[in-house]
Amino acid sequence: SLAARGVDGIVLGRAIDSAGGNLTLQTSARNVGQTGTLAGDIQVARDVTLDVSGRFVNALADGLASSAATSGGSIALRSGAGLVLGEGSLLDVSGGVRVSASGAISGSAAGSLLLSSTPLADGGTLLGKAFELAGSLRGLALHGARGGSLGLRATEIVIGPDAGSDAGTGRLGLDPAALSRGGFASLQLDGVAGLRVDPGTALSLQGQSWQAAASLAGQASGRHAPGGRPPAGRVRPSGRLRGGSP
């Protein structure tokens, strides 16, 4: 876990890779009277990957000694101010895959991803802090295994095909089609000052999962299943997302 107090916040400029690990970043204010009292932003730089996904383990190909975490881990970015995911960044909590010594293929559950920004309270007014989501979020699992959970907290959340984000007010705009990508099986949205679904917006959210191909049993164990995600298969719908507000 990484924590920072004061306006400098946290800037991640390098990748973090931890199979099935738990990663927490948090920024908060300094004690009253210290310089730089206010909390700073959390920023994930352009093209940076935070990967706690489960691994691909093939006991049939590599022997029973093959071992690695196959369940997805957790990522929690809790900012006391703004939150910025740079273009090309990736946060991955996907579940891995295991092939038993008999050749049976099973998927492990994906993990959890929480992204939270915090508006500044100025008397009775909330001053929004930026929530910029230019990267990709992934919580896929093999078909039959549980997909990941995704929680988003921003000053204001607007859902609609033309909803745009506004760094100045802290508004997070979400395209309903984008909410079905990434493989997440559950979704929690928290708009501190409000949550709005634009008129005419159809919400029909469906999760996704991987469908494994038969050739997977012949692949070697690795950091990810060979060929990316899926290793030798395709993405398929896996039922409706569960929504809610934390």
Side-chain angles (χ1 to χ4, degrees):
S1 62
L2 301 172
R5 293 181 180 272
V7 294
D8 290 338
I10 295 174
V11 180
L12 278 182
R14 300 180 69 89
I16 294 178
D17 184 6
S18 176
N22 300 307
L23 174 63
T24 300
L25 276 62
Q26 183 166 358
T27 60
S28 57
R30 290 181 182 271
N31 295 329
V32 175
Q34 293 181 309
T35 59
T37 300
L38 297 178
D41 297 341
I42 293 177
Q43 301 178 56
V44 179
R46 180 188 181 98
D47 296 327
V48 166
T49 295
L50 307 182
D51 187 353
V52 298
S53 63
R55 299 309 190 233
F56 173 60
V57 175
N58 191 339
L60 177 64
D62 301 325
L64 295 176
S66 302
S67 64
T70 57
S71 295
S74 67
I75 297 175
L77 307 187
R78 297 186 173 95
S79 175
L83 179 62
V84 178
L85 302 187
E87 185 177 352
S89 61
L90 170 64
L91 279 58
D92 193 350
V93 298
S94 297
V97 180
R98 183 178 299 276
V99 180
S100 71
S102 64
I105 298 173
S106 60
S108 296
S112 64
L113 176 56
L114 172 65
L115 304 176
S116 175
S117 65
T118 304
L120 174 66
D122 184 10
T125 303
L126 289 178
L127 303 178
K129 292 296 182 179
F131 193 132
E132 299 180 25
L133 188 54
S136 298
L137 312 177
R138 187 180 292 163
L140 286 158
L142 194 70
H143 186 63
R146 187 179 72 248
S149 64
L150 173 62
L152 302 174
R153 180 181 188 267
T155 303
E156 180 187 12
I157 296 177
V158 179
I159 302 173
D162 300 316
S165 297
D166 186 333
T169 65
R171 183 178 69 232
L172 173 63
L174 296 173
D175 183 340
L179 295 177
S180 294
R181 293 195 289 266
F184 294 97
S186 65
L187 173 67
Q188 292 185 315
L189 301 177
D190 182 3
V192 178
L195 190 155
R196 185 181 82 243
V197 179
D198 282 344
T201 299
L203 285 177
S204 180
L205 308 179
Q206 291 199 346
Q208 295 180 327
S209 62
W210 292 124
Q211 177 69 50
S215 59
L216 182 62
Q219 305 293 330
S221 302
R223 179 174 176 271
H224 287 152
R229 297 188 176 282
R234 60 186 178 85
V235 174
R236 59 173 292 172
S238 62
R240 294 184 180 276
L241 290 168
R242 299 185 298 275
S245 178

